Amino acid sequence: GIQVLGLRRGGILCFYSAVLPYRSESGQFEVMSETMRKLERGEWLTEERLAGARPKILRRFEQHRNRASDLPDAIANSRWWRGDATLAFTRAERVGALTRADVLQVFERYVVKAKPVAVYVQPENVPILLKLFGWMLPVVMR
């Protein structure tokens, strides 16, 4: 999965994998590394996907213009994050002008070139039956 955490000065793009406790730590990190290698190739972003995402983002901008606090928030965020309050008024135009190359360049800079932090969390008490027969769950749960 992917989780985006927006923080005051920056943010985190978190890729995660949740598995049953009988799986090995090294195996999970290998799955995550393989997935990142696939994402690095950029095949996930096609012109069709970008064209489909653009109206959704623009619709979200429009929906957030209906409350009194939305415009001041957008102005403040543009000033805080980008250093220019006037960017709040040109968001739609900038999203409309995005190209596949633009998105891939940002993905390369902030995801591919970022130094990853790997964390493995394992429960302390795993029932013995799950340890012994957990591998059967995917077969049984079909």
Side-chain angles (χ1 to χ4, degrees), residues 32-44 107:
M32 297 296 285
S33 296
E34 181 182 328
T35 302
M36 279 307 299
R37 286 190 294 272
K38 288 180 183 178
L39 290 173
E40 287 173 14
R41 292 194 295 261
E43 297 167 356
W44 53 273
F107 185 81

Side-chain angles (χ1 to χ4, degrees), residues 17-114:
S17 172
V19 295
L20 294 171
Y22 62 85
R23 300 288 179 150
S24 71
E25 177 180 339
S26 63
Q28 290 315 300
F29 287 133
E30 182 53 39
V31 168
M32 297 296 285
S33 296
E34 181 182 328
T35 302
M36 279 307 299
R37 286 190 294 272
K38 288 180 183 178
L39 290 173
E40 287 173 14
R41 292 194 295 261
E43 297 167 356
W44 53 273
L45 182 61
T46 62
E47 291 296 337
E48 293 79 24
R49 282 188 173 167
L50 182 59
R54 195 174 282 122
K56 292 176 187 175
I57 295 169
L58 294 174
R59 190 171 29 249
R60 193 172 71 222
F61 287 163
E62 285 299 315
Q63 290 170 344
H64 288 282
R65 290 176 51 172
N66 296 328
R67 294 188 308 238
S69 65
D70 290 333
L71 185 56
D73 281 347
I75 293 169
N77 285 335
S78 293
R79 174 66 178 100
W80 180 259
W81 292 98
R82 308 280 298 175
D84 184 356
T86 62
L87 291 174
F89 301 101
T90 60
R91 291 190 304 176
E93 292 83 11
R94 288 182 288 121
V95 167
L98 279 176
T99 66
R100 181 177 182 273
D102 295 332
V103 175
L104 290 175
Q105 179 182 8
V106 170
F107 185 81
E108 172 82 19
R109 179 177 177 188
Y110 291 105
V111 178
V112 174
K113 290 185 177 178

